[in-house]
Structure formats: structure tokens, C-alpha cells
Amino acid sequence: MFYRERFVYRKLCTTLLIVFVTLGPVHAQAQQDSSAAQAKKIEEQALRQKAFELLESLAGELGTLQSAENRARIGSNIAWSLWPHNENRARALFTQVQSDLNLVLQAPQSKPQDVNTFMVFLKLRADTTERIAKHDPELAYEFFKATALSANKKFSHHLLENERRLETHIAKQLSSSNPNLSLEIGRKLLSQGFSDDLRLLLGRLHRKHKAQATVLYKEIVQKLSGVDLVEDWSARTLALNIANTLGPPAGDEASFREIVNMFVKALAQNACATNLDDEEERASSCRTLAPSILLIAKVDPSRASKFQRWLEQASHYYLPPQPYDELQQLSNDGSVDDILALIEQYPRMEFDIRFRAAQKAQEDGDPERARKIAAEYTADPEGQRRLLTGLERTQITPITSAELEEAQKRLGELHGSFAQVVFLLTAADRVADTDRKGFLKLLNQATEIVDAMKPGKDQAGLQIHLAVVYSYEKNSRGLAIMESLMPKLNELVGSAAKLDGFDIHYLRDGEWNMTGEGELGQLLTGLAQHAGYFAWCDFDRAVSVAGQFERPEIRMMAQLKLAQGILAGPPKRLDLDRAGSQY
């Protein structure tokens, strides 16, 4: 018995040893992975904290700027990015932006340059309103009203139309958080006419707040009942659009029937059920009203049959709204939830809707939700597979060693340094994931060619592009390139300032205007758009390099973009074969 127990004990120990040896490395690897993930999370949190501290510091410098445009532009950006960290500070900054914008928006425009400045400030106002709306739609509407165009001035139809569209956009944003205010804005828009934006707002309200949608629907119908549907094109189109997109079972049936009855009445008044001669004036009215006959058939087929003669001409006078148009609009200015809500209204488009919603989730930095949206598409397994596959990064066909040798031979056949650099970067793109040594060799080879180029726009653009690529690879050579470029950039900016107005107006109120005008403006704008690559490579060094800009306003904007780059998350891999195209 004693020996048997010893045997069992030894066997148990051996088994435990095997388990430990087998699973130990796995457990250790899991611990290492967890530790690495935790360390990365802590590092990113520290970077975000540095970014917020930089924003706070830049906010304190706004008062040193002489240009109201720059104070508004930079202040608006800082406030938008600072909001999650310090909402009260952000709100105060938006109030200051409001004051700076009104300095121009409420001032008379007596000179041609005043009009140009006014248009720039209108764009700043629209951009700021959009930024505020992402955090607080109610505050965005207050900002919109506080910076409204003066009622005592005459403005072009184009400007007034843009104003209406901006207000409509805010109303759509409010449809989720404050449907009552959205309804009030809808009423205001209705008082101004029969824009199809009313239908889009109505649809947005209907998907989340049916009570307010029903009220607005009825008020639209009531106003439509007082107009001549033959003569008023906008009223007729809105009535048809609403009936086609928000008819039963999706929309309010009573309001739908009222619209149908309005068209029945109009057809009857023009004797469309009688044997009219095609040349009669009333026949023209019947053809205009013909698109409503299909709607009438949904309520009263027998009555619709009396107008059948005109139905074949309906498509010549009206095309109903396409669901894809609404999907596209929501992809641009709606949320993921807004896009997914379309599935109830357009169930046959579920694949396309989920595809756009998943894309939107990825763009918002939420890949997990994107995959969930795709995985929940169970109606078609093949469609689900296509959705999931579409979320994966398009794979670049790797280049073989033989092809790489052939590429080097072909390089000498290409004429011009620019073409050679683009060729090398395209080849580098194809080996980036499989051959790091070959990738860096191609990149360094391209850099040598660029360094030997004649100084000018092409060289500077390619140098910046290479700096971005190196920075994405966490290679210090990227920021080294930028450090070497800073004296040249300052020289170019200084020369442009001296020649201001000779060709391009780079300055306004004595400061760089940040509008991206001219070759140099585009170059600086390209740098700003790719600031995240430098920020994630080495934030402190990137901030130091940006600090070398001699003009304070450019330096502040550059450092602002670095902070925003950190808050936006790690940048995506750059397309190397687009070398220099955005500089």
C-alpha cells in the first residue's frame, strides 16, 4: 500500500511537471502580452495628457495674436479638442471665438478685400458650429444664432441658402438629444418655404422621436394644403418626396392620406379624369400632377385608374428620392446609429447600410463595433463574409526578390528624379510588411535621390513626404529631415510675407492667414494634415521642431495640430506611391 501511494504521488508530480512545462511558457507569454498592452495603454495616456497640457498652454497664448481670424481659427480648434479634458475652458474659448467672429461678421463690407474676409469668417463660423455640435448641439445652435447674419443687410441667395443648410444641419443633430428644439427649427424652416431639407429633418426625427415628427408632418401638410400644387414646384416636389419616403407603414397614415387627397383634388380641378385634348392647358397640368397617381393607387385604386392616361408620362416630371442619397448624406454627417436606423425604413438595403455603418465605425476609431455590425448581418452568410472581408486592409501583393532586382534595373531607365522616387516608394510599399531591411533600403535610396535634386517645390514636397513615412516607421530620420527643412521653410515664409499681395495674399491683419492659398500655403497645409505622424513618432521632439517656426501664429498652429494628432489616435499607414501629391 505504501509503495502504491508513493507511485501515485510520483505520477501526479510528473503530470503536474508536464503541465507546468507545457503551459508555463503560454502563461508567461500571456503575462508578457498583457504587460505590453498595459504599458502601451499607460504610454498613450501619458501622451494624451501631454497633448492636453500643450492645448492649455496654447490657449493661454491666444491673446498675443493680433488677427481676429487667427484667434478664432486656432481658438476654435483648441476648444474642440480640449472639450473632453476641460469642458469649462472649452466653452469659454468658444465664447471668445464668437466675439472674434462678430468683429467681422457684423461689420460693414465697403472694400473688395472686406468681402473676401467676410467669406473666410463665414467658413470659420460654419466649421466652429460643426465642432460645437459634436459635443453640445444646443450650444451649437446658440452659437449659430449669436453669430447670425445681420437682418439689416442684403445677402445673395447663395449665402442665405448656405445659412439655411447650416441651420438644418444643426436641427438634424438636435433630433436625437433635443427633438423639441429640432421641431422648432423645422417650423422656422417651413416658414421660409418648402425645401426638401424639411423631409430629411422629418425623417431624422421620425426614426427616434415619432411624436415630434408627427407634429411637424401635420404642420407641413397643413401649409401644403394652401398652395397650388401645379404652380408651386417646390411645394409639389416636397409633397411627393414626403409621401414616397414616409408613407405607410413607416410614416403617419393620416398625413399621408391628406397629401393624397390634395393631389386628387388638384387632378379633379384640372379635369384630368375627362377626355382632355393633349394641347389644352389643363392637360399640361395633368401631366405635371401625374407622379401622384401611384400614391393615389395605394389608397384608392379605383380612383387612380381614372387618371391612368397620364401615368405613363409621370417619370418625365418627377424622380422620387433615392435611398442611396439619404444613406450618403448620413454617411457624411450622421452617426453610426443614424445610419443603422435606416435598416427599418429600407430593409432591402441592409447590406449597403451595414457596409456604410461599419465604415463609419472604423473611421470613428471603433473597429470592434465595425466587426460587430458586419457579424450581425445574418440574412446572407455570403454577404456577411463580404462585409467582414471588406473591413480588412486591402492586401498589397508582396514583391519577390527577383522582382526587386528587376525593379532596380528598371530604375535606371526612368527619366527624372521625381519619377524614380515614386517608383522606389511604390516598390517599398510592396515589401513593407515582408522585408523590413529591403523596405528601409528602398526608402534610403529614394532619400538620396531627393537630397540630390535641385532645390525647389518638388524637392521640398518629397522631403516632407519622406519625413512622414520615416516618422510612421518610428524612425528618427523623419524628424531629422524636418529639422533640416525648418530654416528653408522660415526663409520661404519670410519672403512670402515681404511679397504679400504681389501675387497671393498670405497675410491678413499682419499675420499668416492659414487659408492654404498659394504653393507655400498648400505646403504648410499638407504638413498640418500629417502632423499626427510626427507626433506619434516622438511627441516632445516634434513639438520642439514645430517651435522653430519664427512666426508665432504658424508655430501655434503647428503645435496645435501635433496635439490633435495625438488625440485622434495612431495614424494609418501612408500610401507611399502618392509621393508628394499633397504637398
Side-chain angles (χ1 to χ4, degrees):
M1 186 71 176
F2 173 74
Y3 291 106
R4 184 170 179 274
E5 288 177 352
R6 284 184 61 190
F7 173 76
V8 171
Y9 177 75
R10 288 173 62 189
K11 186 175 181 181
L12 176 61
C13 289
T14 302
T15 302
L16 290 174
L17 180 61
I18 292 172
V19 170
F20 177 79
V21 171
T22 304
L23 298 184
V26 175
H27 178 66
Q29 182 63 48
Q31 283 186 320
Q32 289 176 2
D33 291 344
S34 176
S35 298
Q38 184 65 21
K40 182 179 179 182
K41 184 178 179 180
I42 293 173
E43 181 184 358
E44 291 187 358
Q45 288 176 340
L47 277 175
R48 287 177 61 84
Q49 182 60 35
K50 284 186 176 182
F52 285 128
E53 289 173 359
L54 177 57
L55 290 173
E56 293 273 14
S57 175
L58 292 172
E61 293 186 61
L62 285 171
T64 65
L65 297 174
Q66 301 301 309
S67 165
E69 176 186 339
N70 283 335
R71 289 198 303 270
R73 188 185 301 278
I74 297 176
S76 174
N77 272 277
I78 293 174
W80 174 45
S81 299
L82 197 57
W83 186 290
H85 177 71
N86 188 342
E87 182 179 328
N88 290 335
R89 180 69 167 132
R91 286 177 177 273
L93 287 172
F94 278 128
T95 299
Q96 183 58 53
V97 171
Q98 175 182 309
S99 299
D100 285 325
L101 290 178
N102 279 332
L103 290 175
V104 170
L105 293 177
Q106 307 305 326
Q109 290 88 48
S110 56
K111 302 175 183 178
Q113 57 265 38
D114 292 339
V115 175
N116 181 57
T117 302
F118 181 78
M119 298 303 294
V120 169
F121 272 64
L122 275 183
K123 180 66 167 59
L124 280 172
R125 172 185 179 240
D127 290 344
T128 303
T129 303
E130 293 273 7
R131 290 175 183 133
I132 299 174
K134 293 181 184 299
H135 295 301
D136 186 340
E138 287 85 356
L139 179 62
Y141 192 54
E142 290 300 318
F143 180 89
F144 171 82
K145 292 190 295 183
T147 53
L149 302 181
S150 173
N152 299 323
K153 298 178 183 178
K154 291 184 178 180
F155 297 100
S156 67
H157 173 75
H158 176 70
L159 281 184
L160 294 176
E161 182 68 10
N162 286 342
E163 188 81 353
R164 182 188 59 74
R165 286 177 180 171
L166 181 56
E167 189 165 19
T168 303
H169 178 69
I170 299 172
K172 292 174 190 173
Q173 299 284 88
L174 286 164
S175 62
S176 298
S177 61
N178 194 333
N180 290 326
L181 182 53
S182 184
L183 171 60
E184 289 304 314
I185 299 175
R187 285 169 168 159
K188 179 181 176 182
L189 295 172
L190 179 59
S191 70
Q192 298 169 354
F194 294 108
S195 166
D196 193 53
D197 282 331
L198 280 166
R199 174 184 64 87
L200 298 173
L201 173 57
L202 185 61
R204 190 76 68 92
L205 273 173
H206 175 78
R207 284 191 282 272
K208 295 188 177 182
H209 300 281
K210 287 183 170 55
Q212 286 84 355
T214 300
V215 171
L216 183 58
Y217 198 158
K218 291 181 182 297
E219 292 182 11
I220 292 173
V221 171
Q222 182 180 4
K223 185 171 181 179
L224 285 170
S225 66
V227 301
D228 186 336
L229 293 176
V230 174
E231 297 296 328
D232 194 326
W233 174 87
S234 61
R236 182 177 68 253
T237 301
L238 179 62
L240 289 169
N241 285 352
I242 288 178
N244 274 298
T245 58
L246 287 169
D252 179 64
E253 185 171 355
S255 297
F256 173 78
R257 285 179 174 272
E258 283 191 53
I259 291 177
V260 169
N261 289 335
M262 280 189 277
F263 280 110
V264 170
K265 181 180 177 181
L267 286 161
Q269 287 175 340
N270 286 277
C272 298
T274 64
N275 191 24
L276 289 174
D277 187 278
D278 283 346
E279 301 304 318
E280 286 190 46
E281 184 177 344
R282 288 183 299 176
S284 177
S285 297
C286 295
R287 286 190 285 270
T288 299
L289 295 167
S292 67
I293 299 172
L294 291 174
L295 298 173
I296 297 170
K298 293 181 179 181
V299 176
D300 191 342
S302 62
R303 176 170 285 183
S305 64
K306 297 178 181 179
F307 309 117
Q308 192 71 25
R309 169 189 171 188
W310 311 104
L311 187 57
E312 63 184 31
Q313 302 177 60
S315 61
H316 297 293
Y317 292 87
Y318 170 76
L319 288 175
Q322 298 300 309
Y324 285 98
D325 294 336
E326 189 169 1
L327 177 57
Q328 180 61 42
Q329 187 205 46
L330 282 177
S331 298
N332 292 334
D333 63 13
S335 66
V336 173
D337 290 332
D338 291 332
I339 297 172
L340 290 173
L342 285 176
I343 294 175
E344 181 182 357
Q345 190 172 347
Y346 306 113
R348 293 183 180 181
M349 287 177 56
E350 183 176 358
F351 175 87
D352 300 276
I353 294 169
R354 286 192 177 277
F355 179 76
R356 292 292 183 90
Q359 279 188 324
K360 182 74 171 177
Q362 276 199 318
E363 291 169 4
D364 292 344
D366 194 349
E368 290 186 13
R369 188 174 188 196
R371 286 190 291 270
K372 182 180 178 182
I373 290 169
E376 287 175 347
Y377 182 54
T378 56
D380 177 12
E382 176 60 21
Q384 183 190 69
R385 185 192 66 78
R386 286 163 54 201
L387 280 173
L388 290 169
T389 302
L391 294 175
E392 298 175 0
R393 180 183 177 275
T394 301
Q395 295 297 315
I396 299 171
T397 305
I399 190 171
T400 65
S401 57
E403 288 175 322
L404 193 56
E405 289 181 14
E406 181 63 25
Q408 289 291 346
K409 292 178 182 178
R410 288 184 57 196
L411 180 64
E413 300 172 5
L414 295 174
H415 298 288
S417 299
F418 195 94
Q420 290 178 335
V421 172
V422 172
F423 181 80
L424 286 169
L425 289 178
T426 302
D429 206 24
R430 293 181 60 188
V431 302
D433 295 329
T434 57
D435 183 0
R436 300 300 298 165
K437 185 177 179 181
F439 169 78
L440 289 173
K441 180 180 178 180
L442 290 166
L443 204 57
N444 292 338
Q445 191 175 355
T447 303
E448 290 174 4
I449 295 174
V450 172
D451 289 344
M453 287 174 63
K454 180 181 178 181
K457 176 191 172 185
D458 286 346
Q459 186 195 47
L462 287 172
Q463 285 175 324
I464 293 174
H465 187 88
L466 287 166
V468 171
V469 176
Y470 278 117
S471 295
Y472 176 77
E473 300 297 330
K474 298 291 192 294
N475 189 310
S476 61
R477 190 166 184 177
L479 284 167
I481 291 173
M482 289 309 306
E483 283 177 329
S484 68
L485 279 174
M486 289 306 297
K488 184 63 176 179
L489 289 174
N490 280 320
E491 181 183 344
L492 289 171
V493 169
S495 298
K498 291 177 181 178
L499 295 172
D500 182 55
F502 182 79
D503 184 24
I504 299 293
H505 286 283
Y506 284 109
L507 305 182
R508 196 160 14 247
D509 296 330
E511 292 181 353
W512 199 264
N513 61 34
M514 312 288 182
T515 55
E517 296 181 20
E519 299 286 356
L520 183 54
Q522 292 174 17
L523 191 75
L524 294 175
T525 299
L527 266 175
Q529 291 171 345
H530 294 85
Y533 293 89
F534 302 117
W536 281 92
C537 177
D538 185 335
F539 183 70
D540 292 333
R541 185 177 178 184
V543 172
S544 176
V545 172
Q548 295 175 30
F549 277 113
E550 293 174 353
R551 294 195 73 94
E553 64 274 22
I554 297 180
R555 186 262 306 166
M556 289 177 66
M557 180 59 82
Q559 292 179 333
L560 162 65
K561 291 300 179 182
L562 290 171
Q564 288 182 322
I566 292 296
L567 298 178
K572 297 178 182 179
R573 180 179 173 184
L574 199 68
D575 290 333
L576 302 191
D577 57 353
R578 295 177 60 196
S581 62
Q582 61 271 72
Y583 299 103

